[in-house]
Amino acid sequence: LTVNAQIFGDGPLRKELEAIVRREGLPVTFEGNVCQKRIFEVYQKHAFVYLCNTSKIDTLPLSVIEAYVWGVPVLTNSRPGLSDYFEYLLTGYLIDDDSITQDAIQQLTSLQKYSRLSENCQNYCEEKFPSHNTWVDTYCALYADVLKD
């Protein structure tokens, strides 16, 4: 199985990541900041896509919900907020440490497991966010909860 990674967005670690990619000769392309349409094109074009979101700041990123809509499983770290809308092994995998084990790689590259995760993501999204109004309601409830503390 050949894996090519595309990294979208920019951040303080980009230069460090680019240096690692060059040094290790990894098949990674840094796309930078792109419009949402470009992300959706990637979701449509490729049959085997994961969204990796390890922000320590954004507790409920819309990118995760959008990935679910497209049936794209999520690789993420455990953090408040997102844990309410992420189910380990149902909608993706937790990657809290810096090492990825051989077992994790086998899990991530199994087409059968990927297909199951992809279907789970779409079903989960339909259940948790049946319409865009639900998304707005969810965000408003989350912000209201945070503000009352």
Side-chain angles (χ1 to χ4, degrees):
L1 177 67
T2 302
V3 176
N4 295 300
Q6 290 175 279
I7 297 178
F8 294 90
D10 285 314
L13 297 177
R14 180 172 176 165
K15 289 189 186 306
E16 182 180 342
L17 289 174
E18 287 175 327
I20 293 169
V21 165
R22 277 192 305 277
R23 183 179 66 239
E24 301 294 328
L26 300 173
V28 176
T29 305
F30 291 85
E31 304 285 343
N33 289 323
V34 298
C35 68
Q36 190 176 35
K37 181 180 176 184
R38 172 72 177 114
I39 301 291
F40 295 162
E41 287 170 355
V42 169
Y43 289 168
Q44 284 181 305
K45 181 180 175 185
H46 300 285
F48 207 73
V49 176
Y50 284 97
L51 171 71
C52 183
N53 186 308
T54 58
S55 169
K56 292 185 168 104
I57 299 168
D58 197 354
T59 57
L60 182 54
L62 270 177
S63 60
V64 170
I65 298 169
E66 292 165 350
Y68 290 164
V69 168
W70 289 93
V72 172
V74 174
L75 307 175
T76 190
N77 52 346
S78 180
R79 61 185 181 265
L82 182 58
S83 59
D84 294 332
Y85 298 98
F86 174 82
E87 299 218 11
Y88 178 61
L89 299 179
L90 179 71
T91 58
Y93 298 98
L94 290 175
I95 50 172
D96 276 332
D97 64 14
D98 291 336
S99 63
I100 295 184
T101 64
Q102 191 62 32
D103 182 54
I105 291 170
Q106 288 176 345
Q107 295 284 324
L108 294 173
T109 57
S110 164
L111 185 56
Q112 180 181 7
K113 290 178 182 178
Y114 178 86
S115 296
R116 187 185 76 241
L117 282 173
S118 179
E119 185 177 330
N120 288 347
C121 288
Q122 288 180 316
N123 292 338
Y124 186 84
C125 187
E126 288 174 15
E127 175 188 321
K128 295 285 185 183
F129 308 102
S131 73
H132 72 281
N133 290 331
T134 303
W135 294 11
V136 171
D137 293 343
T138 299
Y139 271 98
C140 288
L142 179 65
Y143 290 136
D145 190 45
V146 168
L147 291 174
K148 78 177 177 189
D149 291 339

